[in-house]
Amino acid sequence: MPDIIQLLPDHVANQIAAGEVVQRPASVVKELLENAIDAEATQIKLLIKDAGKVLIQVIDNGKGMSQTDARLCFERHATSKIKKAEDLFNINTKGFRGEALASIAAIAHVTLKTRQESQELGTSIRVEGSEVKSQESVSTPKGTSIAVKNLFYNIPARRNFLKSNTIETRHIVNEFQRVALVHPNISFSFYHNDNEIYNLVASNLRQRIVAILGKKTNEKLVPINESTDIVAIEGFITKPEFAKKKRGEQFFFVNNRFIKNAYLNHAVTSAFEGLLAQGYYPSYFLYLTVPTKSIDINIHPTKTEIKFDDEKTLYAILRSTIKHSLGQYNVAPALDFDRDASMDTPYEFKNKHISTPKVSVNPDFNPFNAQKTRPTNFQQKASNWESLYTGIDVENIEVESEPVNSSMFTEEKSTHKTYQIQNKYIVSNIKSGVVYINQNLAHQRILYEEFLENSTVNEAASQQLLFPLTLAFSKDDVRIIEEIKSDLESIGFIFETISEEAVVVKGIPVNISESQITTIIEQLLDDIKNDVPDTSFSQLDIMAKSFAKSLAIKTGTKLDAKEQEEIVNKLFLCKEANYSPFGKKTFVIINIQEIDKQFNN
């Protein structure tokens, strides 16, 4: 038989490698920013157009490259970071595989301009699909500028799988933040479609965190600092009262490299045990420095996963360090057994006799007297407080008030008897058998259709707040709120002002309480970051889904008979009663024949 194994051409091998290294535009941003840092740059500029699909450009003032290095850097496994296998366990740079530029050049149009400080002229190279189109000497500033255009131009299937510009931009912002947070000594600037997103000057770690996440972040931070032979830990955690329902602001850095590690994350959350409400997560910015020989970075193309020699010891040190800081800065409650209880009472009151206070009253005073006059002899001393209430017929007092209705729904006559099971399902009888309704999913469907109807058909009703509510958000979140402001107003929100880091709300939809606003908007922002399409109608749809998910009756909530009936009646008036807004069944019907079979077997 003829031989069937053959070597793949370089451009094909590069495209295969690109599938692992370059998953989306954010992957290119990460690789180029890390290369600039490895080049010892002190100023780095990132330029993006159309979420990186049209242009990604990184300009730095680093060391630059010689003419030979500029040409060689686009070859596979060409790197200046390591020379032998042993170097993999002594890595002090961001990159080391030598695959990034080769992979990027295989699936995009790349233009590289670079110059070393000792050279008068630099080098310009243009590469398209791994093929070098031109190379020439040019006049260019010291450092390197690399522009990546038309990403995935020769892999249309991969380009079609990219998400909307909003989502891809969000991923780019995340990568930019991860790099900027770990290098506060470097100046970063970020422009998207010629709009400045970030302009970060060189500073210390706390200032960099505040510059990225907003001024309000400063008051939330609690310092962390511990040094042992195994690991040195520094950074910040946030106070328990600022915990969030999402895990967004959680950053682990090991040897100046962003990582994801569920085991270490558990160490942090366990340190907050007893301080956080259920379903809330702390934010943290933790920087771990460990010996390079004790970790293995080379286990994943994105380098976000690391293997440690002794994870259990790291877990214990991290947990105890955080608990120590929470106590040291009086964040966690503590018992002080050395406290002198005698110091609690002022000295002048130490031995003072306690007597019944004297009260002066006028039993003849009538506030409803038409003459509006008071008797002159109204002073009467009451030596015993019980005497103030003698002669009052409590049983015959008439009080004008409305009957209190604790139900969350209006009262209506029911045609079906309902029952609640496990505080999760509502059971009701129908002609063909029995229907089991999931109260959470059913209420989601009801609220979803109500929000859509109010925003598209009816005029949304708003309730004015007595005092405007000021909500603090990061700059990114404020930008998203500005983009969807008109849609939020269409469902009943009224904004007084929107500044760089805060939003002032003076009106909210009638079916939302003031205490729910922060949770609802945070949930909405998270949903938009991950799933908002480009069309305005779809944004309204995402909002309706997000609000329905936040406000729906939770599993485990006990409902009275009226509330159960209201859920049943409103669900079957919905246009699409069978499914929740997220495609899950809202109810299941078990007919009489199926029940009979259970007894006839």
Side-chain angles (χ1 to χ4, degrees), residues 240-407:
E241 59 264 33
F242 298 107
K244 297 186 176 183
K245 300 198 85 172
K246 296 296 173 183
R247 303 174 184 264
E249 296 174 0
Q250 295 184 337
F251 296 90
F252 266 122
F253 300 96
V254 175
N255 293 0
N256 291 337
R257 186 187 303 275
F258 173 80
I259 68 160
K260 297 177 181 178
N261 191 300
Y263 188 62
L264 295 183
N265 176 72
H266 188 272
V268 178
T269 54
S270 64
F272 280 85
E273 187 176 1
L275 299 176
L276 300 179
Q278 186 175 4
Y280 282 80
Y281 304 95
S283 299
Y284 54 79
F285 310 86
L286 296 175
Y287 299 76
L288 282 64
T289 303
V290 299
T292 54
K293 293 183 179 179
S294 68
I295 58 174
D296 184 5
I297 303 171
N298 191 30
I299 61 174
H300 194 276
T302 61
K303 310 185 192 82
T304 56
E305 296 180 16
I306 290 180
K307 292 292 184 184
F308 296 92
D309 275 355
D310 192 355
E311 275 193 328
K312 291 185 177 180
T313 304
L314 278 177
Y315 182 101
I317 294 174
L318 182 60
R319 183 175 183 272
S320 61
T321 299
I322 294 173
K323 288 183 76 70
H324 175 70
S325 287
L326 289 172
Q328 183 181 8
Y329 291 92
N330 296 323
V331 175
L335 292 175
D336 186 1
F337 294 101
D338 297 327
R339 181 177 62 84
D340 187 355
S342 64
M343 301 291 289
D344 293 346
T345 305
Y347 293 117
E348 60 269 24
F349 291 97
K350 184 76 174 175
N351 300 314
K352 191 172 182 179
H353 177 69
I354 300 174
S355 59
T356 304
K358 296 180 179 180
V359 182
S360 298
V361 298
N362 176 17
D364 298 323
F365 175 64
N366 182 1
F368 302 102
N369 190 345
Q371 297 180 358
K372 300 292 183 183
T373 59
R374 297 185 180 184
T376 57
N377 58 341
F378 70 92
Q379 294 289 339
Q380 177 180 338
K381 303 294 183 181
S383 58
N384 191 357
W385 66 269
E386 291 95 336
S387 64
L388 299 177
Y389 298 94
T390 58
I392 299 178
D393 187 3
V394 180
E395 294 181 357
N396 296 324
I397 293 178
E398 295 183 1
V399 181
E400 294 183 2
S401 65
E402 293 289 338
V404 177
N405 181 11
S406 61
S407 172

Side-chain angles (χ1 to χ4, degrees), residues 513-533:
S513 66
E514 185 175 345
S515 61
Q516 296 173 310
I517 293 300
T518 302
T519 303
I520 288 172
I521 293 184
E522 285 181 354
Q523 177 69 55
L524 173 62
L525 291 173
D526 187 71
D527 290 340
I528 288 177
K529 289 173 187 176
N530 292 297
D531 201 11
V532 68

Side-chain angles (χ1 to χ4, degrees), residues 50-51 53 163-173 192 480 483-484 525 527-535 539:
D50 292 344
K53 298 173 184 177
K163 303 294 184 181
S164 67
N165 283 359
T166 305
I167 296 176
E168 295 300 340
T169 302
R170 168 54 40 191
H171 284 286
I172 291 173
V173 169
H192 183 217
I480 295 175
E483 292 175 4
I484 61 174
L525 291 173
D527 290 340
I528 288 177
K529 289 173 187 176
N530 292 297
D531 201 11
V532 68
D534 292 326
T535 62
Q539 282 190 354

Side-chain angles (χ1 to χ4, degrees), residues 357-580:
K358 296 180 179 180
V359 182
S360 298
V361 298
N362 176 17
D364 298 323
F365 175 64
N366 182 1
F368 302 102
N369 190 345
Q371 297 180 358
K372 300 292 183 183
T373 59
R374 297 185 180 184
T376 57
N377 58 341
F378 70 92
Q379 294 289 339
Q380 177 180 338
K381 303 294 183 181
S383 58
N384 191 357
W385 66 269
E386 291 95 336
S387 64
L388 299 177
Y389 298 94
T390 58
I392 299 178
D393 187 3
V394 180
E395 294 181 357
N396 296 324
I397 293 178
E398 295 183 1
V399 181
E400 294 183 2
S401 65
E402 293 289 338
V404 177
N405 181 11
S406 61
S407 172
M408 62 194 300
F409 299 102
T410 57
E411 183 178 356
E412 289 183 4
K413 291 185 179 180
S414 172
T415 57
H416 299 283
K417 187 68 177 174
T418 61
Y419 306 91
Q420 191 180 23
I421 299 178
Q422 299 292 327
N423 291 340
K424 184 176 183 179
Y425 299 104
I426 300 172
V427 182
S428 180
N429 64 306
I430 56 176
K431 289 182 180 180
S432 59
V434 180
V435 59
Y436 290 83
I437 300 171
N438 185 304
Q439 64 186 38
N440 174 257
L441 300 178
H443 200 205
Q444 283 185 22
R445 166 53 62 178
I446 295 167
L447 293 175
Y448 170 72
E449 293 200 4
E450 285 179 355
F451 273 115
L452 278 185
E453 185 176 3
N454 288 337
S455 58
T456 57
V457 180
N458 302 332
E459 184 176 349
S462 297
Q463 54 179 330
Q464 291 285 120
L465 297 177
L466 184 60
F467 300 102
L469 185 64
T470 302
L471 306 175
F473 294 103
S474 66
K475 293 180 180 179
D476 293 332
D477 290 344
V478 171
R479 275 192 290 270
I480 295 175
I481 292 175
E482 286 179 333
E483 292 175 4
I484 61 174
K485 178 184 175 185
S486 60
D487 294 327
L488 287 170
E489 290 174 339
S490 70
I491 60 174
F493 282 94
I494 301 175
F495 297 99
E496 187 173 276
T497 58
I498 298 179
S499 60
E500 282 191 2
E501 297 176 359
V503 174
V504 180
V505 181
K506 64 177 182 179
I508 58 177
V510 291
N511 50 352
I512 296 177
S513 66
E514 185 175 345
S515 61
Q516 296 173 310
I517 293 300
T518 302
T519 303
I520 288 172
I521 293 184
E522 285 181 354
Q523 177 69 55
L524 173 62
L525 291 173
D526 187 71
D527 290 340
I528 288 177
K529 289 173 187 176
N530 292 297
D531 201 11
V532 68
D534 292 326
T535 62
S536 178
F537 177 79
S538 295
Q539 282 190 354
L540 285 174
D541 185 69
I542 291 295
M543 285 183 194
K545 287 181 179 178
S546 181
F547 289 150
K549 180 168 59 177
S550 300
L551 297 173
I553 299 168
K554 301 297 185 285
T555 297
T557 303
K558 185 172 180 60
L559 306 178
D560 60 31
K562 295 172 186 175
E563 293 169 340
Q564 296 170 28
E565 294 163 12
E566 192 74 13
I567 288 282
V568 175
N569 294 336
K570 284 194 172 184
L571 174 64
F572 292 105
L573 289 176
C574 290
K575 296 179 181 178
E576 185 59 58
N578 298 54
Y579 296 96
S580 76

